[in-house]
Amino acid sequence: MWVTKSYDDKFQQEYKIERKLLEIKGAKHTLELFNSQAFDEIALLDGGLLLKNLLCVQSEFLAHLSACSHKNPKRVLIAGGFNLELAFEFLRHSALQVDFLQFDLKVLESLISFLPHYKEVMDTERFQLIPQLSEEFLAQNAQEYRVKYDIILLLESNVNANSYAKLLNDDGILIVRTPQILLDVQKVRMQLESLEDFAIKMPFFAPLSVLQDCYIFASKLYHPTADIQLQRADMLEGLEYYHANLHLSAFVLPKAVKSALFGAAKN
């Protein structure tokens, strides 16, 4: 049997599975969990995938790339998605408070055996699960919302990134998921152009990721390669994926892509 991940109807990847372990329908999302010889387990979430033995790729990469690009991050918001390992990686930075925005708790709780550090994260004082903050709330109350963040990760598509950006501090960093850059470079350009009030806007990708996830790094102050905190990046222990050289290589794009994004990307 095979499970399929599609990319905007342009191409798809198939992953061999052995059997389905469970299926859960939450308030908005549907989770299917499969056993896989190659990846241990595969979580299929509305077409998106999490691969159990490669969770480190997304979680280490996004957490440490953003945290090591900021001089002194204190508070992080992870909005959307179910990869609680992101919070675990952020919590390696001793000063960070991590807020995890996800209201579909039925689905999140069903991943307790899939996510290796689920209980450890939930029991950490510097972690907070936020179940009810909506995009409508952000649009209407961003100016009055008292909490400000140094880093915000937006892991779902079709959200208003500028609404969340209003929750950033003046030196804040916003990470946004994008379409696959090689296939949809014009969509990525439009996404870059839609981001307001950022001095730096740079597309990047996770090197050697089988899921081919791509993102935008948007910052009001910090540059992800010029301002990388090398001592902090090199001091991290027990990692499987992230390191300083990989951080720097994530922003190296093909020449044709750089030309197509010229003027929209800011570096």
Side-chain angles (χ1 to χ4, degrees):
M1 296 187 296
W2 299 80
V3 63
T4 300
K5 179 182 179 182
S6 298
Y7 292 83
D8 295 330
D9 298 324
K10 290 184 173 61
F11 78 100
Q12 61 187 26
Q13 291 178 319
E14 291 189 332
Y15 298 79
K16 190 173 184 179
I17 58 173
E18 296 177 348
R19 61 190 177 92
K20 180 182 286 189
L21 302 176
L22 63 83
E23 180 173 351
I24 298 292
K25 291 186 177 182
K28 182 180 179 182
H29 303 276
T30 298
L31 165 68
E32 294 178 274
L33 196 61
F34 303 92
N35 182 255
S36 165
Q37 185 176 4
F39 303 106
D40 189 0
E41 292 179 7
I42 296 174
L44 179 64
L45 291 147
D46 303 324
L49 286 178
L50 292 175
L51 308 175
K52 187 171 184 177
N53 65 2
L54 290 180
L55 285 171
C56 62
V57 174
Q58 184 192 69
S59 54
E60 291 183 14
F61 179 62
L62 292 183
H64 303 309
L65 182 145
S66 55
C68 292
S69 297
H70 195 290
K71 186 176 180 179
N72 189 29
K74 296 294 186 182
R75 193 165 192 139
V76 175
L77 174 65
I78 304 169
F82 293 90
N83 185 4
L84 209 63
E85 292 300 295
L86 278 161
F88 176 78
E89 295 300 331
F90 273 121
L91 290 168
R92 290 181 186 268
H93 301 269
S94 59
L96 273 179
Q97 166 73 35
V98 181
D99 293 347
F100 193 89
L101 173 58
Q102 180 52 256
F103 71 90
D104 210 334
L105 300 185
K106 183 178 181 180
V107 171
L108 182 62
E109 291 165 358
S110 299
L111 290 167
I112 187 170
S113 63
F114 181 86
L115 299 165
H117 300 98
Y118 184 100
K119 189 176 186 304
E120 183 176 347
V121 170
M122 288 293 188
D123 291 342
T124 301
E125 290 185 1
R126 291 185 288 117
F127 174 82
Q128 178 180 206
L129 178 63
I130 305 176
Q132 293 180 337
L133 188 62
S134 67
E135 187 169 322
E136 291 77 15
F137 175 89
L138 287 169
Q140 296 172 12
N141 301 283
Q143 297 301 324
E144 293 78 22
Y145 192 54
R146 295 181 181 179
V147 176
K148 291 288 187 178
Y149 294 96
D150 300 303
I151 299 169
I152 297 178
L153 268 58
L154 295 183
L155 300 180
E156 289 188 352
S157 304
N158 303 317
V159 296
N160 188 340
N162 290 309
S163 293
Y164 283 90
K166 294 175 183 178
L167 301 181
L168 284 170
N169 284 316
D170 291 339
D171 59 354
I173 294 169
L174 177 70
I175 304 291
V176 184
R177 184 190 293 274
T178 74
Q180 217 289 332
I181 294 176
L182 288 176
L183 291 178
D184 283 314
V185 66
Q186 290 306 316
K187 286 186 178 179
V188 176
R189 182 182 178 89
M190 291 173 61
Q191 198 168 2
L192 284 163
E193 291 173 341
S194 72
L195 293 172
E196 303 168 355
D197 301 326
F198 288 101
I200 296 165
K201 299 187 290 185
M202 297 173 60
F204 68 101
F205 64 98
L208 289 180
S209 169
V210 297
L211 295 178
Q212 304 194 36
D213 290 337
C214 302
Y215 307 89
I216 291 172
F217 178 103
S219 172
K220 299 184 177 184
L221 177 64
Y222 294 110
H223 191 285
T225 59
D227 293 317
I228 181 174
Q229 305 295 304
L230 285 172
Q231 183 177 9
R232 189 185 310 158
D234 289 338
M235 288 290 288
L236 293 166
E237 297 181 352
L239 302 185
E240 298 180 59
Y241 184 74
Y242 175 85
H243 57 85
N245 286 338
L246 185 140
H247 176 132
L248 298 173
S249 70
F251 295 90
V252 179
L253 300 176
K255 187 173 182 179
V257 172
K258 290 183 65 177
S259 297
L261 299 178
F262 180 79
K266 296 181 180 180
N267 57 5

